[in-house]
Amino acid sequence: MVYWAFAGLILGAIAGSFLATAAVRWPAGRTLAGRSACDGCGRVLGPVELIPVLGYLIRHGRCPTCGALIDPRHLQIELAAAGIGVLAFAIAPGLVGLVGALFGWQLLLLAVLDLEHFWLPDRATGLLALTGIAAGAAGAQPFPNDRLIGAAAGYLILWLVARGYRRVRRREGLGGGDPKLFGAVGAWIGWTALPFVLLGAGLIGLGAVLIARLRGADVPADMRLPFGTLLALAAWAMWIVQNG
């Protein structure tokens, strides 16, 4: 078990390095290809600096050449991805753990993008759906039929909610990416788990609003919440419940 958790730690940190790069560059319209470099002076990073987590700590969060601050999201996302890897392999050592970690890593990127930019890229949600269906075809539970129904039901449920809200309230209530993400989640966890994910996302959102109120923040009735982030958190929690 310890060896599997360690493997999850290493794989997660490596995955987190790519996810952090994507989270920083993608919204800015920058290419994900090419070598990593300092955002301040453009110096190409050396091998030691590219080591996930340790590279950031060794440099004390700054470029040694120009002294520019390194975006802390690199460290935060690498640590989060490493934690996902450890937990997934601790719960289900072997192939099932790897599949769960892959699910969690993809959700992590989507959660960050929605939290920071209210953006759920079609390429990311599409890849999440495809890998979920592929995992089912490879033999991971739930079975492929449950995943396909989950993908269709997840998308349709939130699409109908968004359409109904727009018709009744005359304004947008959900972004266009939320139904696609919920459909992709259904392709991973199956249709029977979708109500619990929706409930969990709602409870997390209510908790966030309550905390904001307790801190004295102004919480208007039309306050925007990154619902994709809430769905991502609830979806991976459901995977843990299913496999724990």
Side-chain angles (χ1 to χ4, degrees), residues 14-37:
I14 294 171
S17 181
F18 171 78
L19 296 174
T21 300
V24 171
R25 292 185 183 181
W26 201 355
R30 296 164 57 191
T31 178
L32 303 185
R35 298 185 64 181
S36 297

Side-chain angles (χ1 to χ4, degrees), residues 59-229:
R59 291 175 287 170
H60 303 288
R62 290 184 177 273
C63 172
T65 300
C66 67
L69 285 172
I70 301 169
D71 194 321
R73 286 177 293 177
H74 286 282
L75 178 63
Q76 295 162 358
I77 294 174
E78 287 170 3
L79 288 173
I84 288 171
V86 169
L87 187 55
F89 278 93
I91 291 172
L95 182 59
V96 175
L98 178 60
V99 168
L102 180 62
F103 182 39
W105 294 330
Q106 292 181 86
L107 288 173
L108 174 60
L109 175 59
L110 286 160
V112 171
L113 291 175
D114 197 46
L115 179 64
E116 296 183 346
H117 306 284
F118 290 98
W119 183 44
L120 296 169
D122 287 348
R123 282 185 288 176
T125 53
L127 180 61
L128 182 66
L130 289 175
T131 51
I133 293 170
Q141 292 189 354
F143 298 113
N145 286 347
D146 292 332
R147 292 172 182 258
L148 291 172
I149 296 172
Y155 176 81
L156 186 60
I157 288 169
L158 284 196
W159 182 84
L160 290 172
V161 169
R163 189 174 180 84
Y165 185 93
R166 185 168 61 246
R167 177 165 294 185
V168 172
R169 301 296 298 273
R170 304 298 180 184
R171 58 187 172 91
E172 296 293 333
L174 285 176
D178 293 321
K180 297 172 186 176
L181 174 57
F182 200 39
V185 166
W188 272 93
I189 62 174
W191 65 274
T192 57
L194 287 177
F196 301 102
V197 172
L198 203 56
L199 175 62
L203 291 175
I204 296 171
L206 288 174
V209 171
L210 178 59
I211 292 172
R213 281 188 175 276
L214 291 176
R215 290 181 174 179
D218 182 30
V219 183
D222 59 350
M223 175 182 176
R224 292 183 70 188
L225 288 175
F227 193 57
T229 301

